[in-house]
């Protein structure tokens, strides 16, 4: 029925580049798209080594063709191809066996699909995954952003340090999500919340209670151990074995378990000091401290506070246009020191948005302790902006407006001396210059 | 004239960026001087190979395919790139010596298997 069908017509109808390769890995036939892709005509390419014509990343090509020719199975592989214009084109190679009428394997059909668009989308998605929900433009965060993608591409342990509420768990998960382990579990264990026997069973399992430890559950994935400094020394030694040897004994058992997990640990303490004083295993410290990430406290990234406020307001008001803040509420939020960092700011905004009932957030909607702390600092002569009087007090103001008012007032009080104005505002001069430009002052 | 040929076994390597071996030779008055030198690099890297070409002071690079970035780099360094060459590297070297190697050349030995 199909004897009179021309195979060229068939492969030219396929919407991908197609190359028919014989059992010696030589080109037998190409369709129009393959000619355009490789820059070689059928007459030029026929009989040439397909690897030389295709210039793909499947090298050596024979190795990739072998299972198709030996076992007759189709294979799909992703890679790239160097096209006639010297561009690397991300490609999906579908290798399918070709049999003659007697069922003998006589060659391979190589279909090459351009997946540039798909790869770009995946890269954008991976990039978005890394930064999803991560807010901040301050210079102190730039190093952290740079580290994120580097650490995600590594498999070494990571030690994250930072004050409570700086988002250590968030960054640990971001590293996991952007890593090759992202398809496997990310398990978060707080070493502070469990007493030693329970923590041991939680991590390593228990033969007595037929419990599987999370280290095993997280095989191929990542375990995040927060408050690592609280881990008892005996368990630290056991964790070191997992890191060094990739295996451990289940408690009260002779059963050895091999695992492939990445450890990300976090601490809000000075782990070096704790190690020096004998409160933490020196071996484990050096083993964990391969890749280090320091998350700065919110007070060192004050420029990011408005961004966080905007984000939390949107989250708690269920939309992008949340309530605005009156001038005094905005000033207090800007001046507060946030010892509990981002977590505390989040709670304050949740409190304020809830109490404001969807209207303008006035100072009364902020938790009392926050307003009190700022006013006490004002009274003690702190640089909290207490002397600044926004000209449009009483009118609902957005953060940008409040900030602009504060800068103008500081410049007025300093007689136009920018260094002094910056000092009054508690900013570096460079920050003031940047903001002057931003506000077009 | 100093030349570098990216090679894969006995052939010109199809991809410059995936090449692990390069042959260096000196051509004077239409003849290859002495024995060509073979250099192995530790991992496939277009950057490393380009750096090697510059370090060795070659005038011409021969390869199967090269991406535009490395092509532009070598050209900027005044190194002529003859790409798209298919066939045995020894034949490519002989054609170079005879001033008879053009981009996209398919050499006689290419289909010999």
């Amino acid at each position: 029925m199909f004897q009179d069908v021309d195979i060229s017509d068939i492969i030219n109808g396929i919407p991908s580049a197609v190359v028919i390769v014989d059992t010696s890995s030589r080109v037998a036939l190409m369709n129009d798209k393959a000619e355009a892709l490789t820059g070689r005509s059928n007459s030029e390419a026929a009989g040439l080594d397909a690897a030389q014509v295709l210039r793909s990343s499947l090298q050596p090509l024979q190795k990739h063709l072998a299972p198709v020719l030996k076992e007759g199975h189709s294979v799909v592989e992703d890679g790239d191809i160097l096209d006639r214009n010297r561009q690397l084109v991300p490609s999906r190679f579908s290798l399918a066996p070709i049999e003659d009428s007697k069922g003998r394997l006589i060659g391979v059909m190589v279909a090459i699909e351009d997946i540039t668009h798909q790869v770009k989308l995946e890269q954008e998605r991976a990039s978005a995954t890394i930064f999803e929900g991560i807010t901040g433009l301050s210079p102190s965060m730039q190093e952290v952003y740079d580290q994120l993608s580097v650490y995600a591409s590594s498999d070494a342990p990571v030690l994250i340090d930072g004050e409570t509420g700086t988002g250590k768990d968030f960054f640990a998960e971001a590293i996991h999500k952007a890593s090759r382990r992202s398809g496997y579990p990310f398990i978060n264990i707080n070493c502070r919340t469990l007493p030693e026997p329970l923590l041991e069973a939680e991590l390593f399992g228990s033969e007595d209670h037929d419990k599987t430890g999370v280290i095993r559950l997280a095989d191929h994935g990542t375990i995040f151990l927060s408050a690592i400094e609280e881990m008892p020394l005996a368990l630290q030694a056991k964790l070191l074995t997992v890191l060094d040897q990739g295996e451990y004994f289940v408690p009260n058992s002779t059963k050895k378990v091999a695992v492939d997990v990445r450890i990300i640990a976090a601490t809000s303490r000075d782990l070096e000091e704790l190690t020096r004083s004998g409160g933490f295993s020196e071996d484990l410290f050096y083993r964990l401290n391969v890749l280090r990430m320091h998350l700065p406290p919110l007070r060192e990234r004050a420029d990011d506070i408005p961004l966080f406020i905007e984000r939390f307001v949107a989250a708690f008001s269920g939309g992008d246009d949340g309530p605005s803040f009156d001038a005094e509420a905005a000033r207090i939020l800007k001046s507060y020191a946030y010892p509990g960092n981002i977590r505390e700011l989040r709670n304050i905004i949740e409190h304020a948005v809830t109490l404001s009932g969807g209207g303008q957030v006035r100072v009364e909607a902020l938790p009392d302790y926050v307003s009190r702390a700022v006013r006490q600092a004002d009274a003690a002569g702190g640089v909290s902006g207490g002397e600044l009087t926004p000209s449009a007090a009483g009118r609902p103001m957005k953060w940008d407006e409040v900030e602009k008012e504060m800068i103008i007032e500081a410049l007025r009080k300093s007689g136009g001396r920018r260094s002094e104005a910056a000092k009054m505002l508690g900013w570096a001069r460079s920050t003031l210059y940047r903001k002057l430009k931003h506000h077009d002052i | 004239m100093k030349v570098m040929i990216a090679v894969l076994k006995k052939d010109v390597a199809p991809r410059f960026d995936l090449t692990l071996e390069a042959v260096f030779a000196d051509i004077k008055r239409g003849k290859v001087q002495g024995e060509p030198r073979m250099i192995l690099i530790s991992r496939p890297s277009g950057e490393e190979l380009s750096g090697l070409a510059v370090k060795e002071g070659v005038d011409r690079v021969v390869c199967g395919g090269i991406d535009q970035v490395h092509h532009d780099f070598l050209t900027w360094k005044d190194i002529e790139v003859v790409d798209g060459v298919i066939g045995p590297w020894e034949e490519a070297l002989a054609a170079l010596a005879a001033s008879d190697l053009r981009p996209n050349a398919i050499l006689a030995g290419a289909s010999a298997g």
Side-chain angles (χ1 to χ4, degrees), chain A residues 274-289:
Chain A
L274 201 61
T275 302
R276 276 194 292 274
S277 65
F280 194 81
S281 157
E282 193 175 355
D283 290 338
L284 183 60
F285 172 71
Y286 288 118
R287 194 71 183 81
L288 290 174
N289 196 32

Side-chain angles (χ1 to χ4, degrees), chain A residues 89-150:
Chain A
V89 182
S91 304
R92 175 156 300 148
F93 300 87
S94 302
L95 313 179
I98 302 173
E99 294 177 350
D100 65 11
S101 56
K102 291 177 182 158
R104 289 177 300 206
L105 288 168
I106 56 167
V108 176
M109 183 176 83
V110 182
I112 304 149
E113 182 192 353
D114 182 344
I115 55 169
T116 305
H117 185 61
Q118 188 180 329
V119 168
K120 201 174 161 197
L121 280 177
E122 277 169 14
Q123 283 169 347
E124 282 171 3
R125 202 176 301 133
S127 164
T129 305
I130 292 177
F131 294 107
E132 191 182 355
I134 293 177
T135 304
L137 300 169
S138 65
S140 59
M141 287 304 290
Q142 290 312 310
E143 192 183 351
V144 174
Y145 295 147
D146 291 343
Q147 288 170 341
L148 265 181
S149 47
V150 176

Side-chain angles (χ1 to χ4, degrees), chain B:
Chain B
M1 175 179 63
K2 280 191 170 181
V3 299
M4 181 182 96
I5 306 176
V7 304
L8 178 64
K9 294 181 182 169
K10 64 179 182 53
D11 288 323
V12 175
R15 285 268 294 258
F16 184 81
D17 60 328
L18 301 177
T19 299
L20 281 167
E21 293 174 59
V23 167
F24 291 84
D26 204 2
I27 297 172
K28 278 184 187 153
R29 289 181 294 279
K31 285 191 176 166
V32 177
Q33 306 295 300
E35 279 295 305
R37 283 184 302 133
M38 180 83 80
I39 291 185
L40 298 177
I41 59 172
S42 54
R43 61 188 174 90
S45 161
E47 284 73 25
E48 206 166 315
L49 209 53
S50 302
L52 199 57
V54 173
K55 193 177 148 202
E56 294 282 331
V58 306
D59 304 293
R60 205 167 285 182
V61 164
V62 178
C63 61
I66 183 167
D67 59 278
Q68 196 65 49
V69 175
H70 291 113
H71 182 276
D72 291 348
F73 171 78
L74 292 170
T75 308
W76 179 63
K77 288 284 182 185
D78 291 329
I79 298 172
E80 188 187 338
V81 179
V82 185
D83 62 342
V85 176
I86 296 181
W89 69 261
E90 285 179 328
E91 207 177 312
L93 184 59
L96 264 181
S99 302
D100 193 27
L101 188 68
R102 303 275 174 272
N104 298 314
I106 298 173
L107 303 171
S111 53

Side-chain angles (χ1 to χ4, degrees), chain A residues 26 40 52 55 80 82 86, chain B residues 15 64 68 83-84 104 113:
Chain A
R26 293 187 173 274
R40 303 286 186 186
Q52 298 282 346
R55 306 193 302 195
D80 57 47
L82 189 66
R86 301 197 186 102
Chain B
R15 285 268 294 258
Q68 196 65 49
D83 62 342
N104 298 314

